[in-house]
Amino acid sequence: MNYAVSHIRDFLLTIPKSVTLVAVSKTIPVEIIREVYNAGHKIFGENKVQELIIKKPYLPDDIKWHMIGHMQSNKVKFIAPFINMIHSVDSAKLLGVINNEGLKNNRIINCLLQVHIAEEETKYGFSYDEVQQLFNKNDNASLNNARICGLMGMATFTDNKDQVRKEFKKLAEFFHLLKHSYFSTSEYFRELSMGMSGDYKIALEEGATIIRIGSVIFGKRD
Ligand SMILES: *Cc1c(COP(=O)(O)O)cnc(C)c1O
C-alpha cells in the first residue's frame, strides 16, 4: 500500500467524523494524489493557482478542491469554474472578484475569510478589526455568488503550545461573535479552518471544523 494511503487511513481514525480533512497536496505528484483518491478521500487542498490548474486535468472531476494559499485577484478566473472552497480570502477586493467570477460561472463559491492570528508578519490575512469593518459596512449581503462560510487562520510557527492555543481560542471566539452578530440565521456560516500537521490537535480542541493536513499524510515536503 502507498504510504500516503495508509497514513490517511490511520489519520482519519484519530479525528472526529464531523471534522473535514483537507489533504494538502501541494508539491505532491498527481500519481500519489490519485492513489489517495482511489482509497476514498476526495478533498484536497493546494496553495498555488498555477499548480492546481496544472494538476486538475489529470485527476478525477469529483475531487473537491480547496484553495488554501494567498491568491491574486487576476487568478480567480482560473479556478472559479470548479473550486469548492477558497480558505484564503484576505481582502474585500478579492471577495468582490470571487463574487463576480462566481456570477459569470453561474455558481456560488464557498469562501472563508483568512484572519491574521500569528505573530509572524509574513502571513496573509485580515486583522480582526478589518473583518469587523467589512461586516459593519454591511454590503456583504449583496455578494450572492461568494458565500462566506466562516474563518481560516494559521497559528504562529512555534513549539509554544500555549501560544498556539491562545491564537486558536481567540479566532474561535471571534467566529462565534460574528456568527451571533451577523449569521445567526445562516446555515452556511459554520466553518472554522484551523490546524495543520504540527498543531491540529490543539485546533480540534479549540473547535476547528476543517483541518488542513499535508506532511502527516504525504510525508515531509522537500
Ligand atoms: C502547506 C499548508 C498546510 C499544510 O501544512 P502541513 O504542515 O504539511 O500539514 C496547511 N495550510 C496551509 C495554508 C498551507 O500552506
Side-chain angles (χ1 to χ4, degrees):
M1 200 194 302
N2 171 292
Y3 67 93
V5 171
S6 62
H7 285 176
I8 198 168
R9 281 198 180 141
D10 292 347
F11 187 81
L12 282 166
L13 295 175
T14 70
I15 63 168
K17 283 204 168 57
S18 58
V19 170
T20 300
L21 170 63
V22 176
V24 176
S25 53
K26 62 188 184 197
T27 78
I28 304 302
V30 290
E31 292 74 24
I32 295 181
I33 300 173
R34 194 179 299 114
E35 289 190 43
V36 171
Y37 170 89
N38 286 339
H41 191 77
K42 302 194 174 180
I43 307 171
F44 293 90
E46 291 280 341
N47 70 335
K48 294 198 177 96
V49 170
Q50 185 70 11
E51 185 175 344
L52 172 52
I53 59 180
I54 288 174
K55 285 171 167 175
K56 178 181 157 41
Y58 295 97
L59 289 160
D61 272 340
D62 66 339
I63 285 184
K64 291 183 174 159
W65 289 106
H66 287 227
M67 174 51 61
I68 62 171
H70 173 70
M71 54 184 302
Q72 291 167 319
S73 304
N74 61 6
K75 301 265 173 71
V76 175
K77 58 177 177 286
F78 298 118
I79 61 170
F82 67 86
I83 200 76
N84 186 259
M85 181 174 272
I86 301 177
H87 291 225
S88 42
V89 179
D90 56 7
S91 71
K93 180 186 169 201
L94 181 59
L95 188 64
V97 172
I98 293 169
N99 187 56
N100 286 341
E101 293 296 329
L103 189 61
K104 279 187 204 163
N105 287 278
N106 193 26
R107 56 193 301 265
I108 295 171
I109 300 176
N110 297 320
C111 295
L112 303 178
L113 303 180
Q114 182 173 355
V115 184
H116 182 280
I117 63 172
E119 243 175 22
E120 292 111 349
E121 303 222 331
T122 52
K123 286 183 182 157
Y124 293 102
F126 289 101
S127 67
Y128 283 109
D129 280 349
E130 287 167 341
V131 176
Q132 194 67 64
Q133 283 161 23
L134 191 75
F135 288 109
N136 286 346
K137 276 200 197 148
N138 207 21
D139 54 10
N140 54 298
S142 63
L143 298 182
N144 292 322
N145 294 79
R147 177 180 283 154
I148 300 175
C149 298
L151 303 178
M152 182 271 236
M154 290 169 83
T156 303
F157 188 72
T158 172
D159 289 334
N160 184 343
K161 293 194 167 144
D162 291 340
Q163 180 174 352
V164 170
R165 184 178 299 281
K166 220 164 59 187
E167 291 170 357
F168 285 153
K169 199 184 277 296
K170 188 170 170 193
L171 184 63
E173 280 168 8
F174 187 60
F175 168 79
H176 290 297
L177 179 82
L178 290 180
K179 180 149 185 75
H180 180 75
S181 308
Y182 304 103
F183 295 97
S184 56
T185 59
S186 159
E187 57 181 299
Y188 301 112
F189 191 89
R190 60 174 182 219
E191 305 294 358
L192 191 48
S193 168
M194 55 185 198
M196 308 173 29
S197 291
D199 56 19
Y200 73 89
K201 286 183 186 155
I202 302 173
L204 288 176
E205 284 164 8
E206 297 305 329
T209 64
I210 303 178
I211 53 176
R212 310 175 312 271
I213 305 294
S215 38
V216 166
I217 295 167
F218 294 108
K220 275 212 171 69
R221 289 178 297 274
D222 296 333

